[in-house]
Amino acid sequence: MNADVVVVGGGPVGLLTAALLHSAGIPVRVFERNTGPTEYSKAITMQPRTLETFASVRSEGGKRLVDLVLPLGRQVPRTHFATLPNLLELGGFETAYPFVLFIPQADTERVLARHLAAQGVPVEYGREVTSFGQDAERVVVTVGEETVETRYLVGADGAHSTVRKAAGIGFPGTEPTAAGFVGDVELTAPPEHDFHLWSHETGSVSIIRTPSGHRLFGMEPGDAGLTAQEVRARRDRPLGTEELRATLVRIAGTDFGLRSSSWLSRSTDSTRHADRYRAGRVFLAGDAAHVHLPAGGQGLNVGFQDAANLSWKLAAELHGWAPSLIVDGPASYQAERLPIAEKLGENTLAQSAIMTTFTPAGAALRAMTAELIARVPGLSAELAGWVSGLKVRYAVAADAHPLDGLPAPDLVLDGENLLHRLEIGRYLLADFTPDGRLAALASPRVAVARAERRPGVSAALIRPDGYVARAWPEPDVADISATVDEWAGTPARTSDRPSTGTSAPMRSSQ
Ligand SMILES: Cc1cc2nc3c(=O)[nH]c(=O)nc-3n(C[C@H](O)[C@H](O)[C@H](O)COP(=O)(O)OP(=O)(O)OC[C@H]3O[C@@H](n4cnc5c(N)ncnc54)[C@H](O)[C@@H]3O)c2cc1C
């Protein structure tokens, strides 16, 4: 075998997947067809949940990935739904990162690629994967003139994924109906604050300040209500600075001092997701698995959570201890992530209805939704929870504890931030009991850490990706022990072993 895992695509999702697998001690190779890192950025919004994931990954010089991206971005403590003027506050969540970070995707990719290179996993640029074949033992991947053998293949090769097509995985969904403009520009007369304008007569434009200039996106009424063929024709027609200037003047009565542009493109509301996330030894992640209107800054962030969900489970499978629960059971990669793509499609289609309906009825929908967001705190918190990723929940039992299935809140464990305690090779059992009675449940796959008392929780089993597998209101040691075994595959307890020394992680930690 040339590698245990081959990742196809050196975009952000492929890069994070490779970084996490490498941190689990898995030999991994990354093939990227572009000849070098991209200069252009589709995404600019990094959500709090991504920052939490980045905080769990150690990089060079004692830093974590989050320490490398924070100085490159601009922090804003609120976000939006469907570019509505009433914004969603992020301050009410229990997170160390209650803000979005505006950071160009190209910078995020550079940070991840450098991190990988420093770990001895250079991205192999200029190498296009054209096909693969698989049997029960391996996948044989064709990369140019070379064939590479691997145990698993991850297709993180974007919306038009070669891996998805070659694996025969369907990509059902809705055809595009609208084609808006998007661009990174220099403005000499920008609005003072981040700005969202919407008129049912002239169109919409949003302007967000980025670390290096401004991001514009919007559309005119004539850009919506199109056939799929019309959308594709528009998408394939390059957008120039002068065309954009004329569009801005028609919509807003000003070009905001548009001086130059570094990237101009058109975005559509085509909404699809893979009908399977796994075919034998092949997985899909990121845009290869889901596409939608770029509304609310979600696609990249959801892709990063795909990477976080897949990596520890695949590492466990490769290390030979993964229980059926996480391989093909209710907590498998596909069982957990495919429903998230369905919800993502729903929420972005709903945003699309609000953003692309240029009629008085659309204006009324927009005004009413904005008013509800302003007046109903529960609604704005719910929307903020989805978009930020902080309240995206995996399936749980009807009588589940309120923490079950959610990203763990910002906890201090043994005096350290929870995110710094996560390890890709083992679970973390947070022990909230005053007498630390869960210590005996420590094992090579489960670290036990003391947590400060918290109403309604005695214990929480936290997965390597930082989600709560299960929490308990009472310290029912027998039930906790059985649940730990279900998730961790019945390892011998530290307390059952002849030596009483502290347990070591399976492999190197994140
Ligand atoms: C205008 C716009 C704005 C957006 N804004 C946001 C935002 O603010 N926040 C957000 O979360 N999301 C946003 N998104 C979505 C986000 O950009 C994508 O979700 C993200 O790029 C997905 O990352 P990925 O790694 O899955 O795929 P990609 O970024 O598409 O990367 C795939 C990589 O695979 C490579 N590749 C493809 N085929 C092969 C092959 N056969 N062999 C080798 N390499 C291959 C490609 O060259 C590419 O580098 C936006 C999207 C658009 C269009």
Side-chain angles (χ1 to χ4, degrees):
M1 295 279 170
N2 302 113
D4 275 358
V5 180
V6 161
V7 175
V8 186
V13 174
L15 295 173
L16 183 64
T17 306
L20 290 169
L21 287 167
H22 174 79
S23 73
I26 304 295
V28 57
R29 290 178 74 178
V30 185
F31 295 117
E32 166 55 51
R33 74 174 166 204
N34 290 340
T35 51
T38 179
E39 294 297 314
Y40 304 111
S41 294
K42 291 183 282 184
I44 54 163
T45 311
M46 193 178 271
Q47 300 287 354
R49 180 67 199 138
T50 296
L51 294 167
E52 291 184 344
T53 298
F54 276 34
S56 72
V57 184
R58 283 202 187 97
S59 193
E60 297 304 289
K63 295 198 165 174
R64 290 171 178 271
L65 285 181
V66 74
D67 303 320
L68 305 178
V69 292
L70 284 178
L72 304 177
R74 184 166 78 85
Q75 299 174 16
V76 176
R78 53 193 73 84
T79 188
H80 70 89
F81 185 76
T83 70
L84 291 168
N86 298 322
L87 298 176
L88 312 172
E89 295 295 331
L90 293 167
F93 294 98
E94 269 192 281
T95 174
Y97 305 98
F99 51 83
V100 294
L101 186 73
F102 286 125
I103 174 172
Q105 183 171 326
D107 288 350
T108 305
E109 291 184 30
R110 243 187 308 277
V111 164
L112 289 168
R114 280 193 197 133
H115 164 80
L116 273 171
Q119 306 287 321
V121 188
V123 177
E124 299 182 44
Y125 288 108
R127 313 225 39 210
E128 180 167 6
V129 168
T130 49
S131 65
F132 68 84
Q134 63 168 317
D135 59 27
E137 305 292 320
R138 62 193 183 143
V139 186
V140 180
V141 189
T142 306
V143 195
E145 302 291 298
E146 191 190 354
T147 52
V148 176
E149 273 193 32
T150 181
R151 293 178 68 189
Y152 291 95
L153 184 71
V154 177
D157 50 344
H160 304 287
S161 172
T162 300
V163 172
R164 186 184 67 231
K165 290 172 195 157
I169 296 177
F171 203 43
T174 58
E175 292 283 2
T177 64
F181 59 83
V182 54
D184 287 327
V185 299
E186 194 187 343
L187 301 177
T188 57
E192 195 184 340
H193 301 292
D194 294 345
F195 170 87
H196 300 294
L197 175 148
W198 194 91
S199 135
H200 70 276
E201 282 155 355
T202 60
S204 69
V205 57
S206 294
I207 303 183
I208 291 171
R209 188 158 57 84
T210 65
S212 57
H214 286 87
R215 163 63 58 96
L216 296 184
F217 65 97
M219 67 178 63
E220 293 185 88
D223 295 331
L226 306 177
T227 65
Q229 209 178 3
E230 287 167 334
V231 169
R232 289 189 189 107
R234 271 178 207 226
R235 190 196 55 198
D236 295 343
R237 190 162 50 78
L239 174 64
T241 309
E242 288 316 312
E243 183 185 342
L244 177 63
R245 188 191 312 285
T247 305
L248 289 174
V249 171
R250 279 196 300 273
I251 296 174
T254 166
D255 68 356
F256 302 98
L258 175 63
R259 189 204 292 257
S260 61
S261 54
S262 55
W263 179 67
L264 294 178
S265 185
R266 301 182 201 266
S267 61
T268 82
D269 60 345
S270 175
T271 305
R272 300 177 177 278
H273 65 76
D275 59 16
R276 284 176 294 154
Y277 272 32
R278 178 175 192 168
R281 297 185 157 267
V282 176
F283 296 87
L284 296 179
D287 277 16
H290 40 75
V291 295
H292 53 83
L293 180 76
Q298 296 181 85
L300 169 63
N301 291 279
V302 171
F304 279 147
Q305 292 310 305
D306 291 344
N309 187 297
L310 174 61
S311 304
W312 69 274
K313 293 175 185 173
L314 185 52
E317 205 167 326
L318 279 158
H319 288 313
W321 65 262
S324 153
L325 176 68
I326 65 170
V327 175
D328 49 16
S332 70
Y333 173 60
Q334 170 169 304
E336 291 194 330
R337 296 306 298 173
L338 209 153
I340 301 294
E342 286 169 354
K343 294 295 285 179
L344 174 68
E346 243 174 60
N347 96 46
T348 49
L349 277 173
Q351 293 189 67
S352 179
I354 293 174
M355 291 165 71
T356 69
T357 309
F358 293 96
T359 60
L365 173 65
R366 199 174 161 85
M368 194 186 77
T369 314
E371 190 188 331
L372 287 174
I373 286 176
R375 283 209 350 235
V376 185
L379 173 62
S380 57
E382 184 74 17
L383 293 174
W386 293 353
V387 173
S388 65
L390 294 171
K391 292 291 173 192
V392 169
R393 193 175 200 189
Y394 295 139
V396 290
D399 59 348
H401 188 280
L403 292 176
D404 287 2
L406 285 166
D410 189 26
L411 296 175
V412 174
L413 298 177
D414 288 341
E416 220 184 329
N417 185 287
L418 158 75
L419 299 170
H420 293 190
R421 292 294 310 262
L422 293 174
E423 297 173 28
I424 198 158
R426 65 178 179 178
Y427 299 86
L428 195 49
L429 182 60
D431 181 351
F432 296 82
T433 63
D435 53 357
R437 81 183 68 160
L438 303 178
L441 297 181
S443 77
R445 284 176 218 144
V446 184
V448 180
R450 300 287 295 274
E452 279 173 25
R453 297 196 70 177
R454 186 184 168 98
V457 200
S458 291
L461 181 64
I462 300 166
R463 310 169 358 163
D465 56 5
Y467 287 75
V468 177
R470 210 177 137 195
W472 290 262
E474 304 299 333
D476 177 346
V477 177
D479 189 44
I480 295 170
S481 171
T483 303
V484 164
D485 288 352
E486 200 191 341
W487 282 86
T490 56
R493 306 252 175 268
T494 306
S495 54
D496 298 339
R497 289 144 68 94
S499 151
T500 54
T502 48
S503 57
M506 292 276 296
R507 296 291 285 249
S508 62
S509 74
Q510 295 173 47

